[in-house]
Amino acid sequence: MLNTKSHIKLSLGYFLLAALLGVVLRSYVVAPMPINYRFIVHTHSHIALLGWVYIALTTLLYQLFLNKEELQGKYRAIFWFTQLCLLGMLLSFPFQGYALFSIIFSTLFLVASYWFTAFFIKNAPTSIKKTKAYICVKAALWFMIGSSLGPWALGAIMTILGPESIWYRLAIYFYLHFQYNGWMILALVGLLFYVLEKHQIIISPKIFSYFFWSTLLGIVLSFFLSTLWTGPELIYYILGAMGALLQLIGFGILIKIIYGNRLVLQSIFSKFQYGILKLGAILLFVKMILQLLTAMPYFANLASTVLDFTIGYLHWTFLGVITLGLFFFLEFHGFIKLSKSSCIVYLLGFAITELLIFYKGMAAWLGWPLFEAYLKLLALGSFLMPIALILILWQSKGVDAKQSV
């Protein structure tokens, strides 16, 4: 039998490693170490996105939508091929950054993601292909495939135009935008619809259609917000603003669906789980408001010139919206045990580091002073996250995953 719970533990292990690397990066300025800072940044980001989020999401998708005995062999082959790619990245990025071996393993990882997508779409039961959950998840997977155009383009851009070209940064932003907004957040929405439909909550096809298409179009158009640092024509600002507004409209429709069924949801989820869901929704709303602000030329310029605002926004999305969403579904489906203590430690680390990162951005913007203990506090705040993850892994030892809950 396939033990998908061990796959989730492995994904949390990757997250713990990424969090520890984050502590190393934050401590580097306080206490210099014999490492290449830029190489560790590459390792940290790849293991966080591809080790933690990708493995956790694909494991959930397999467990909830496909888990059949006859598919276990094929899924196991995809899973271990993916682990080989991640191990290769772990053994190459810290020592050479973007170079031959890290590029080979990163490329192989893209192949692994294509393999999983084809496997999922081909083997999804006919009975689920018309569900709202499957429609969202399938779109999320296509966004993941589409995002890979960014990494594929990097080789040609570096060879022909060089890393200083604006196209180099645009290719990276293209990848990150469609990973975060298209693949990760939309897949989490699909998992939410899965729970709603499993509990016979009726959602009007018309309302769902409004949500789905406004969200999809919003994701596509809001990519133009990632191009505004180049100082393009006015039309790009308008398209980016339309995308951000459409995503907000989609979010509003989703909140209306959840609020309209809140009594049922409160009976499905524990009070603690429902609280995490509400917090995740608040964080997503703030993320979308920040996104909309950058459609204005002044804030677009601010986001591109003050790096801490960009870093804060990316961490807000990744550590707040996406990770909290994953914690919610992993807890609900019985893959992990999320206690109040581990959640408080994690959220405290998240809040402290976000406040400090945005404070540094505000200091650069408004000329505020940077207090003496800033860097030490940032390193200490970062250290709370691996502590929380160790607690989660420890408390989840005896948990048995629910089957297709």
Side-chain angles (χ1 to χ4, degrees):
M1 286 294 289
L2 192 68
N3 184 6
T4 46
K5 184 173 177 287
S6 64
H7 296 182
I8 293 298
K9 277 190 174 179
L10 186 58
S11 73
L12 278 167
Y14 284 125
F15 191 15
L16 175 58
L17 178 58
L20 288 169
L21 288 173
V23 173
V24 169
L25 291 168
R26 296 267 168 80
S27 305
Y28 181 80
V29 186
V30 181
M33 290 164 266
I35 59 168
N36 185 303
Y37 185 88
R38 190 164 51 88
F39 293 176
I40 300 301
V41 169
H42 291 323
T43 313
H44 167 73
S45 58
H46 279 76
I47 295 306
L49 287 174
L50 309 179
W52 158 232
V53 178
Y54 178 86
I55 298 300
L57 270 179
T58 52
T59 302
L60 276 168
L61 294 181
Y62 173 77
Q63 174 72 19
L64 300 178
F65 290 85
L66 301 183
N67 197 2
K68 298 177 186 173
E69 201 167 332
E70 63 268 23
L71 296 177
Q72 287 182 8
K74 291 178 182 177
Y75 174 72
R76 193 180 283 112
I78 298 170
F79 179 82
W80 288 113
F81 178 70
T82 307
Q83 302 317 304
L84 177 67
C85 300
L86 287 164
L87 182 61
M89 285 187 260
L90 265 175
L91 295 175
S92 54
F93 270 118
F95 308 105
Q96 61 172 198
Y98 273 107
L100 177 64
F101 290 108
S102 59
I103 289 169
I104 288 171
F105 285 111
S106 301
T107 303
L108 287 173
F109 187 93
L110 294 179
V111 174
S113 68
Y114 299 163
W115 189 4
F116 176 83
T117 301
F119 168 77
F120 183 88
I121 292 172
K122 180 183 176 183
N123 293 292
T126 308
S127 59
I128 71 155
K129 287 197 170 179
K130 290 183 179 179
T131 63
K132 296 166 181 65
Y134 177 80
I135 291 167
C136 288
V137 167
K138 186 180 176 183
L141 287 166
W142 279 115
F143 274 125
M144 178 181 70
I145 298 297
S147 74
S148 69
L149 290 173
W152 284 120
L154 279 177
I157 291 166
M158 287 184 74
T159 305
I160 300 166
L161 302 170
E164 302 306 316
S165 162
I166 64 165
W167 294 100
Y168 181 83
R169 275 177 69 183
L170 284 171
I172 293 171
Y173 290 164
F174 182 91
Y175 174 73
L176 288 174
H177 174 80
F178 288 108
Q179 279 279 312
Y180 276 52
N181 295 284
W183 156 230
M184 297 174 185
I185 292 177
L186 193 55
L188 288 170
V189 171
L191 292 173
L192 180 60
F193 277 114
Y194 176 89
V195 175
L196 298 179
E197 290 175 306
K198 275 286 175 181
H199 289 85
Q200 282 77 50
I201 291 175
I202 306 298
I203 301 156
S204 156
K206 189 176 180 181
I207 294 294
F208 175 75
S209 182
Y210 288 151
F211 159 77
F212 183 73
W213 290 111
S214 63
T215 299
L216 244 65
L217 191 56
I219 290 168
V220 173
L221 291 178
S222 59
F223 166 67
F224 289 107
L225 295 173
S226 300
T227 71
L228 300 183
W229 60 274
T230 63
E233 299 294 323
L234 179 62
I235 184 64
Y236 291 94
Y237 288 88
I238 294 168
L239 289 171
M242 284 174 60
L245 282 169
L246 283 167
Q247 278 188 281
L248 266 171
I249 290 167
F251 174 77
I253 295 168
L254 184 62
I255 292 300
K256 188 179 178 183
I257 292 168
I258 293 170
Y259 186 76
N261 294 283
R262 65 192 181 283
L263 296 178
V264 181
L265 291 175
Q266 285 167 358
S267 68
I268 296 169
F269 305 131
S270 69
K271 189 176 180 181
F272 178 55
Q273 290 166 353
Y274 194 67
I276 296 171
L277 181 65
K278 286 196 291 186
L279 178 57
I282 292 166
L283 293 175
L284 180 56
F285 177 69
V286 173
K287 178 241 185 247
M288 289 185 169
I289 293 297
L290 291 173
Q291 186 176 251
L292 181 60
L293 274 177
T294 60
M296 302 175 194
Y298 179 80
F299 289 106
N301 180 61
L302 194 63
S304 65
T305 53
V306 182
L307 184 61
D308 289 286
F309 284 148
T310 303
I311 293 170
Y313 171 79
L314 290 174
H315 281 78
W316 182 279
T317 306
F318 180 81
L319 294 172
V321 179
I322 295 165
T323 292
L324 213 59
L326 277 171
F327 281 169
F328 169 78
F329 288 111
L330 293 174
E331 156 75 14
F332 176 70
H333 290 293
F335 282 101
I336 63 170
K337 174 62 181 171
L338 196 63
S339 67
K340 286 183 181 178
S341 57
S342 60
C343 201
I344 287 168
V345 173
Y346 179 83
L347 289 173
L348 195 59
F350 170 70
I352 290 170
T353 53
E354 283 297 289
L355 279 169
L356 289 171
I357 291 168
F358 277 109
Y359 176 83
K360 190 181 174 191
M362 297 292 282
W365 175 29
L366 301 172
W368 293 353
L370 206 59
F371 52 92
E372 193 178 338
Y374 174 84
L375 293 170
K376 288 179 182 177
L377 277 176
L378 189 59
L380 286 170
S382 303
F383 195 67
L384 290 173
M385 290 188 195
I387 292 172
L389 293 168
I390 290 167
L391 278 172
I392 292 168
L393 282 163
W394 176 260
Q395 292 165 348
S396 302
K397 282 194 302 180
V399 175
D400 291 319
K402 303 173 192 175
Q403 296 297 312
S404 299
V405 174

